[in-house]
Amino acid sequence: AGARVLDLGCGMGEPIAAYVIGQGHSVIGVDSAPSLLAMARARFPQSEWIEADMRTLALGRRVDGILAWDSVFHLTADDQRRMFGVFARHAAPGTRLMFTSGPSEGESVGEYHGEPLFHASLGPDEYRSLLRAHGFTVDAYVADDPACGHHTVWLATLSGGESHA
């Protein structure tokens, strides 16, 4: 109870931040869309909402949990690789990291409300390698999970000792 959770690509704060707040944790939401952050601030004024690019985030503090749900896979492969340094910079020993990726390496452009929407994914072995290189241990990995809307979900923990940022 009372964990500080960093929500990268938080959007309007629903459903992920709303759930985390409802569980008694504090949320620091980060997104680059001012209109979505305005909705998050209106819905959850007790939380901290920061307009920033997650790729260059440097809060100067560490959190207990990091979520990047449906956000990192909208970055290019190179930007995704650099995100593991961002995760590590904000993680204290024991921090849990949960993020979604594609089930396999590749890029695609889909559509959302009539607008093009970019998706990219590294391969599972590369994600494992990046996590390990930044001090994280993979706790769980489920590809294309039907119980979770066919998301590919990663859960990792930063090992004890110093961050590998």
Side-chain angles (χ1 to χ4, degrees):
R4 290 181 307 157
V5 178
L6 177 60
D7 185 358
L8 296 170
C10 65
M12 66 181 97
E14 292 193 42
I16 301 298
Y19 177 81
V20 172
I21 293 165
Q23 297 301 304
H25 307 295
S26 64
V27 168
I28 303 165
V30 174
D31 205 286
S32 61
S35 61
L36 295 177
L37 288 169
M39 287 187 267
R41 285 184 188 107
R43 291 177 175 146
F44 309 104
Q46 75 277 23
S47 295
E48 183 178 358
W49 305 103
I50 299 169
E51 183 180 339
D53 185 332
M54 73 172 113
R55 296 171 296 182
T56 58
L57 190 66
L59 295 178
R61 54 192 153 140
R62 297 178 187 262
V63 296
D64 306 302
I66 300 171
L67 287 168
W69 192 267
D70 285 354
S71 60
V72 172
F73 61 51
H74 293 298
L75 303 177
T76 66
D78 284 342
D79 283 339
Q80 287 186 47
R81 290 178 185 106
R82 287 188 283 274
M83 282 303 300
F84 290 85
V86 173
F87 297 152
R89 270 196 307 277
H90 294 90
T95 291
R96 303 297 295 267
L97 165 65
M98 180 180 279
F99 68 97
T100 53
S101 71
S104 60
E105 183 179 359
E107 292 183 2
S108 67
V109 178
E111 189 176 298
Y112 184 73
H113 294 284
E115 297 291 325
L117 187 60
F118 176 81
H119 294 86
S121 185
L122 308 174
D125 289 341
E126 186 170 4
Y127 283 121
R128 278 187 182 83
S129 177
L130 287 163
L131 285 162
R132 189 172 38 258
H134 287 88
F136 288 91
T137 302
V138 175
D139 299 312
Y141 164 74
V142 181
D144 199 28
D145 186 358
C148 193
H150 292 279
H151 284 84
T152 295
V153 182
W154 294 85
L155 179 64
T157 303
L158 184 67
S159 303
E162 290 300 309
S163 166
H164 293 76

